[in-house]
Amino acid sequence: KEDHASQIPDLQLLQNMGYTYLTPKEVDEQRNNKQSNVILEGILETQLRKQNNIEFRGQNYKFSNANISKAIQTLKDFSLKEGLVITNKKVYDTLSLGKSFEENIQGDIKSFTLHYIDWYNWGNNVFHVTEEMSVERVGKIETYRPDIVLFVNGIPFGVIECKRPDLITTDGRKPVEQAISP
């Protein structure tokens, strides 16, 4: 019932809003079939190349392959060892401000900022949605499997947990209370 009452209508609405649907298999391929990887690397790489140019002495240049790879690895390397709040701030800063990388252009080595999201021209970004994406839990055999995951440029930006409106919980909470947790 959850699929028909909530999940399928949500997926249809998101697609009508411009999100491109990816099957769970397509998502797994994009993340190299690793449940520990939540980034759709192929999509992110394409967007980083498309959206980032270096202006130097009146000419445009692309970021090197090495720096595109480093940019992707930067997002994959965030760890929760310092705690959720500190890690969240670091991820936020990286996504909102970008990250600087050194490039050698015409013999000059300078740092240039690579941006993950085009905040000024939202239409330059790509939006994807998937369902039932299995994500490996740190230090455990089990996985999380959110009902719907939203991506911007291959980066997970949101999770939607779908609940049936007639759900009866064992602890007496309403479905919306069960779906939203602190």
Side-chain angles (χ1 to χ4, degrees), residues 10-12 14-15 19-23 26-27 40 127-131 147-151 160:
D10 288 354
L11 288 168
Q12 289 171 336
L14 289 162
Q15 289 174 73
Y19 282 81
T20 300
Y21 175 77
L22 296 174
T23 66
E26 290 170 318
V27 167
L40 309 181
F127 304 89
H128 293 88
V129 62
T130 194
E131 60 186 319
D147 293 328
I148 297 174
V149 181
L150 307 169
F151 297 91
I160 298 172

Side-chain angles (χ1 to χ4, degrees), residues 48-128:
L48 291 178
R49 290 183 191 288
K50 178 179 153 190
Q51 293 180 181
N52 287 282
N53 290 306
I54 299 167
E55 281 191 42
F56 185 72
R57 294 184 180 163
Q59 294 186 6
N60 282 324
Y61 299 88
K62 294 289 184 183
F63 278 87
S64 66
N65 291 337
N67 280 337
I68 294 290
S69 294
K70 286 179 190 175
I72 294 169
Q73 193 61 45
T74 295
L75 292 183
K76 292 171 65 176
D77 284 346
F78 283 109
S79 168
L80 293 174
K81 291 178 185 174
E82 296 179 89
L84 185 60
V85 173
I86 291 172
T87 302
N88 188 43
K89 182 182 179 341
K90 288 180 178 181
V91 170
Y92 174 82
D93 287 346
T94 300
L95 293 178
S96 60
L97 302 173
K99 180 151 176 70
S100 291
F101 294 96
E102 285 187 351
E103 288 284 350
N104 184 340
I105 299 177
Q106 299 178 356
D108 284 336
I109 298 175
K110 297 195 181 294
S111 290
F112 299 94
T113 302
L114 182 143
H115 296 278
Y116 293 90
I117 308 293
D118 188 338
W119 297 105
Y120 299 104
N121 189 350
W122 202 237
N124 286 338
N125 301 297
V126 293
F127 304 89
H128 293 88

